[in-house]
Amino acid sequence: MAGISPARKHAMAERWLALAVQTYPVPSRRFLVDQRDPFRNPAGQALRKRIPELVEELFGEMDAGKVGAALEDLMRLRAVQRFSAREAVGFLFGLKTILREESAADWETLARWEERVDELALAAFDLFMRFREQIYQIQADEARRRVAQLERMYSREG
Amino acid sequence: MPETATRPEELVRISYDPPPGDWRGSPVEFRKGTFCHAAGAKSVRYLELPNPRDWQPTDQDWKLPPNWKEIILAGMKERLERFRSFRLFMDICVRCGACADKCHFYLGSADPKNMPVLRAELIRSVYRRYFTTAGKVFRSLAGARDLTEDVLKEWFYYFYQCTECRRCSVFCPFGIDTAEITMMVRELLNLVGVNTNWVLEPAANCYRTGNHLGIQPHGFKDSIDFAVDDLEDLTGVRVEAPINRKGAEILFVVPSADYFATPHYYTLLGYLALFHEIGLDYTFSAYASEGGNFGLFSSHEMMKRLNAKIYAEAKRLGVKWVLGGECGHMWRVIHQYMDTLNGPADFLEEPVSPVTGTRFENARSTKMVHICEFTADLIHAHKLKLDSRRNDHWTVTYHDSCNPARAMGLLEEPRYILRRVANRFHEMPENTIREQTFCCGSGAGLGSDENIEMRLRGGLPRANAVKYVRDKYGVNLLTCICAIDKATLPTALAYWAPGVEVGGVHELVGNALVMKGEKERTTDLRGQPLGQGAEAIHA
């Protein structure tokens, strides 16, 4: 899958980032994109860091580790941000339009890329569900910690 | 591209834009996981607060009193006259936006109404409508809006998305204390019976038995005795932990989570070891068995009622001064309100360390000293024998808990202690610590199970900085001096920065403290095996 220049990849990543940011309310979009300090803007910077990585992998090896790490960060964030599953994952499909408009690839190449986008989306959906389930687990763990010593005490007495 | 190509993205096309219209008009959606449950009638009744009933925020009908609007507006009027700060904060904001991106809830959610300026605008708009001439005449043109049930619901939703951490206030050029605005709105909501169970049930328990869980004196004694047994198992040293002992020099007050929750409990073990080692003449109180004060999260009157027990017990037991444990908002109440709420404590003496002779002039008025000030002084005077290698299994960072950091300026003492009891200590990035510290996302009564999704949004900026030091330095322990931090940061970190535990400063003091007559320590206070470095010293 050679032939995509770094500049083109960058342009695609920027468009895709803009699409992801559109899932947030209008007054917050500029801040999410513009504030580059990762500690002042952790959510926006997660998007800015991870989206180009996914673009790189899409045209590269689709390395499971790298794709997984990038998607994990994105889905960990979006799993707690008011999104339904559809809304959380949906922006990934927007890459298909970007691929068509930003590349001069033939139909077959385009189809292969789109399959990869589908793979990304399915993996993202799995992760979204994993994080939603984790929220319930950590909720239960916290409840146990809250009275852990009382439980120990009563079990020793009992 | 061929015309016939399928366009699967069209099947999942989503409108990304919010509904059109004025932001002030859109009603709040109460989505599960993002709000706290309403206070049960039992607690409301116990505290003799208005309008006890069973209801939930998701109900269409909140069962407000028929004249709720008059009650709120009269409450506003009264508070505008009573608190000069409230009127000032309503009037002076110029919407410069300096605070806009400083709130952890905004950073985690990107919800514009979590910008402190906009959150405050939710009540300012009502203030303008009913208390300013321009607002009365020009209405929405002057940024004013009517007080409606939807507005009230919005207040409930967003002012319980403020942890009163006061980070935004650090950046406000006018010094507007957004936490005070939140406190005012919550007071107003309380007037019509709109309050949360996570705040009022602990408050009711505190009022009855002195602590959040409603543990009675015999239960309190069992808990402390249990800790004494545990400490003996771990160290081989039997310590005394007196309760309600009249004539002791010092009354020691802790947050109740220290004796029933994990990881708080290890900090309690640390205190007990420390006090034994220096031979401190102190006592716990079975009634002042809670430093935490959820009154701060509902009203000034409630704060005063719940705080009163500290001085009352100090007087009853005849102590000279009061020492306080690792807690967050407890210290905001003590440092900023207690003296005027329930003082002057003229029956107490200016605190003096019985070990070093240091006079705590900073506590001359309240007569109450923070345990970190006390311990840092002990270490500074070389009164403790410490083996920091016993903490070598930890690579430590320190989270400035909002209230001790921003409300009382306790920045150096915990760090001074940590650097002497642990060998590997790394700071998080500068704009996430000290005065600029990020809140855990669960303070001010928001730390409930049902609010978990909102808490995780709010916890992101803090956890993000923890993740950074975890990846860069291998940090595996976040220390802090707040009971709410200790309860909720393990949850936030399990989600955002797995692999980092949470502990107290005095837990590490207890690990490092070499006690006279102790057995060979093979574990830390958690019962975990000590690392290589620690084993070496006993070899």
Side-chain angles (χ1 to χ4, degrees):
Chain A
M1 292 204 185
I4 301 288
S5 69
R8 183 63 65 193
K9 285 185 209 166
H10 176 72
M12 288 189 194
E14 285 296 308
R15 274 191 66 184
W16 202 18
L17 174 66
L19 202 63
V21 168
Q22 275 180 43
T23 60
Y24 295 94
V26 178
S28 302
R29 292 177 189 169
R30 207 171 130 190
F31 168 74
L32 285 169
V33 175
D34 288 354
Q35 176 50 260
R36 301 294 183 106
D37 182 333
F39 302 107
R40 288 182 65 180
N41 178 19
Q45 286 307 300
L47 294 168
R48 179 168 283 289
K49 177 169 183 276
R50 295 308 193 176
I51 281 178
E53 288 176 8
L54 286 176
V55 170
E56 198 58 49
E57 289 307 311
L58 187 98
F59 295 119
E61 301 298 317
M62 283 291 272
D63 178 275
K66 288 180 185 168
V67 168
L71 282 178
E72 261 191 45
D73 257 15
L74 296 178
M75 287 304 123
R76 189 181 277 121
L77 180 67
R78 294 173 75 82
V80 296
Q81 280 186 327
R82 85 180 166 83
F83 298 113
S84 66
R86 195 178 90 124
E87 291 165 335
V89 176
F91 81 96
L92 292 169
F93 291 109
L95 184 57
K96 290 188 178 181
T97 310
I98 297 170
L99 285 169
R100 285 181 207 134
E101 291 174 5
E102 292 282 341
S103 80
D106 59 50
W107 191 87
E108 273 182 32
T109 309
L110 211 51
R112 277 211 308 281
W113 286 343
E114 292 196 357
E115 276 172 23
R116 289 185 165 193
V117 174
D118 292 339
E119 275 179 48
L120 290 182
L122 287 172
F125 184 74
D126 271 354
L127 286 167
F128 179 85
M129 291 308 296
R130 197 180 96 194
F131 289 124
R132 294 299 303 178
E133 283 163 15
Q134 194 195 352
I135 292 171
Y136 296 113
Q137 184 59 48
I138 59 177
Q139 223 172 346
D141 293 344
E142 182 179 286
R144 277 186 217 117
R145 278 195 309 274
R146 200 172 285 145
V147 288
Q149 299 309 327
L150 286 185
E151 278 181 6
R152 271 187 66 225
M153 191 169 83
Y154 292 134
S155 65
R156 193 181 288 185
E157 281 173 357
Chain B
M1 136 185 186
E3 288 291 321
T4 51
T6 52
R7 285 175 159 264
E9 75 279 9
E10 287 179 357
L11 299 174
V12 290
R13 181 154 288 166
I14 295 159
S15 167
Y16 296 126
D17 291 320
D22 189 343
W23 64 271
R24 285 172 295 216
S26 53
V28 161
E29 179 202 354
F30 284 95
R31 186 183 141 152
K32 201 176 167 191
T34 65
F35 61 89
C36 298
H37 290 161
K42 187 180 159 195
S43 300
V44 178
R45 210 167 275 131
Y46 192 85
L47 293 166
E48 297 166 327
L49 294 175
N51 200 15
R53 72 213 182 281
D54 289 318
W55 67 287
Q56 284 305 335
T58 44
D59 296 345
Q60 190 63 34
D61 178 8
W62 282 19
K63 301 176 190 166
L64 300 172
N67 60 338
W68 69 268
K69 197 168 159 181
E70 287 72 41
I71 297 173
I72 295 276
L73 292 175
M76 260 181 101
K77 183 170 184 294
E78 184 198 329
R79 281 159 184 77
L80 285 165
E81 287 162 4
R82 187 169 152 210
F83 300 104
R84 195 169 42 180
S85 56
F86 182 39
R87 182 174 284 277
L88 203 61
F89 296 160
M90 288 294 98
D91 278 329
I92 60 173
C93 175
V94 293
R95 302 194 218 179
C96 70
C99 64
D101 58 352
K102 304 304 185 295
C103 173
H104 47 290
F105 281 113
Y106 176 65
L107 298 182
S109 70
D111 179 346
K113 289 183 189 173
N114 276 324
M115 295 177 186
V117 58
L118 275 195
R119 198 187 291 115
E121 194 66 20
L122 301 178
I123 182 169
R124 276 201 191 101
S125 52
V126 172
Y127 164 74
R128 286 192 203 102
R129 166 69 183 81
Y130 298 96
F131 298 96
T132 68
T133 309
K136 282 177 192 167
V137 176
F138 297 110
R139 304 287 175 95
S140 64
L141 288 175
R145 65 172 177 170
D146 291 336
L147 178 60
T148 64
E149 272 198 49
D150 276 347
V151 168
L152 194 84
K153 289 178 180 181
E154 194 176 44
W155 282 5
F156 175 78
Y157 189 63
Y158 284 104
F159 287 101
Y160 281 92
Q161 281 173 37
C162 167
T163 47
E164 302 181 7
C165 80
R166 301 163 82 233
R167 186 171 193 267
C168 51
S169 306
V170 172
F171 298 89
C172 176
F174 290 97
I176 295 174
D177 186 341
T178 308
E180 287 205 14
I181 297 177
T182 297
M183 288 162 74
M184 285 298 128
V185 179
R186 290 191 186 185
E187 280 203 22
L188 295 173
L189 291 170
N190 265 284
L191 297 177
V192 292
V194 175
N195 26 39
T196 71
N197 206 51
W198 193 255
V199 171
L200 285 202
E201 191 173 295
N205 285 338
C206 266
Y207 201 43
R208 189 171 61 251
T209 69
N211 55 69
H212 288 163
L213 274 196
I215 295 169
Q216 296 175 31
H218 55 283
F220 177 74
K221 183 174 187 316
D222 283 350
S223 301
I224 298 295
D225 288 349
F226 186 71
V228 168
D229 289 346
D230 264 351
L231 190 64
E232 186 176 12
D233 289 346
L234 290 162
T235 65
V237 178
R238 185 81 189 166
V239 306
E240 291 286 322
I243 299 169
N244 293 348
R245 183 165 66 81
K246 288 191 176 178
E249 184 178 358
I250 295 162
L251 169 65
F252 184 50
V253 179
V254 296
S256 58
D258 280 2
Y259 53 88
F260 57 72
T262 300
H264 314 62
Y265 182 72
Y266 311 119
T267 295
L268 173 70
L269 297 181
Y271 306 143
L272 293 176
L274 174 70
F275 296 163
H276 170 85
E277 198 52 31
I278 59 173
L280 195 69
D281 177 12
Y282 78 106
T283 182
F284 285 100
S285 153
Y287 186 52
S289 50
E290 176 68 76
N293 187 328
F294 275 30
L296 177 67
F297 312 141
S298 52
S299 73
H300 284 83
E301 287 72 23
M302 190 64 64
M303 178 176 21
K304 178 176 175 157
R305 281 159 86 179
L306 301 186
N307 172 262
K309 68 193 168 202
I310 294 181
Y311 282 157
E313 282 293 85
K315 194 168 199 173
R316 184 178 73 86
L317 297 170
V319 300
K320 290 183 182 166
W321 55 278
V322 189
L323 184 63
E326 293 183 11
C327 190
H329 69 272
M330 151 179 165
W331 281 101
R332 179 154 194 222
V333 177
I334 291 164
H335 192 69
Q336 300 196 332
Y337 300 105
M338 179 163 78
D339 194 20
T340 46
L341 286 178
N342 291 309
D346 45 14
F347 56 93
L348 295 172
E349 295 176 12
E350 183 177 305
V352 176
S353 170
V355 185
T356 65
T358 297
R359 191 168 288 276
F360 293 98
E361 291 170 359
N362 57 316
R364 182 181 293 154
S365 180
T366 60
K367 316 287 196 296
M368 189 152 175
V369 174
H370 194 288
I371 185 82
C372 285
E373 295 169 330
F374 183 73
T375 304
D377 174 61
L378 291 172
I379 295 174
H380 185 71
H382 307 290
K383 298 294 181 188
L384 302 180
K385 192 173 175 193
L386 298 168
D387 178 3
S388 56
R389 287 175 294 183
R390 289 180 185 174
N391 282 315
D392 275 355
H393 53 309
W394 295 122
T395 303
V396 182
T397 192
Y398 177 67
H399 158 67
D400 290 270
S401 305
C402 309
N403 284 303
R406 278 191 283 265
M408 64 183 299
L410 195 81
L411 304 172
E412 297 306 330
E413 290 85 345
R415 289 178 166 82
Y416 181 85
I417 297 169
L418 285 170
R419 289 183 187 283
R420 278 149 191 86
V421 298
N423 293 321
R424 288 197 289 269
F425 175 78
H426 299 279
E427 293 278 16
M428 285 182 276
E430 198 181 334
N431 57 354
T432 70
I433 56 171
R434 297 178 186 268
E435 294 90 344
Q436 297 187 55
T437 187
F438 276 115
C439 179
C440 63
S442 304
L446 306 190
S448 69
D449 309 3
E450 68 267 17
N451 193 34
I452 184 87
E453 199 174 310
M454 189 56 69
R455 288 172 43 200
L456 288 173
R457 292 178 199 170
L460 167 62
R462 168 40 74 223
N464 179 55
V466 175
K467 186 167 165 247
Y468 173 78
V469 287
R470 179 198 70 181
D471 296 343
K472 188 167 183 186
Y473 304 113
V475 162
N476 60 359
L477 184 74
L478 175 74
T479 53
C480 53
I481 52 170
C482 166
I484 291 175
D485 283 338
K486 286 174 195 159
T488 64
L489 276 172
T491 306
L493 296 186
Y495 190 77
W496 296 111
V500 183
E501 304 274 323
V502 176
V505 168
H506 280 78
E507 175 186 343
L508 297 198
V509 171
N511 283 343
L513 186 70
V514 179
M515 300 173 75
K516 288 180 279 294
E518 70 178 8
K519 68 178 188 185
E520 183 181 338
R521 292 250 205 131
T522 53
T523 68
D524 64 9
L525 294 179
R526 297 182 180 210
Q528 297 176 158
L530 291 177
Q532 192 62 43
E535 283 164 12
I537 195 174
H538 296 292

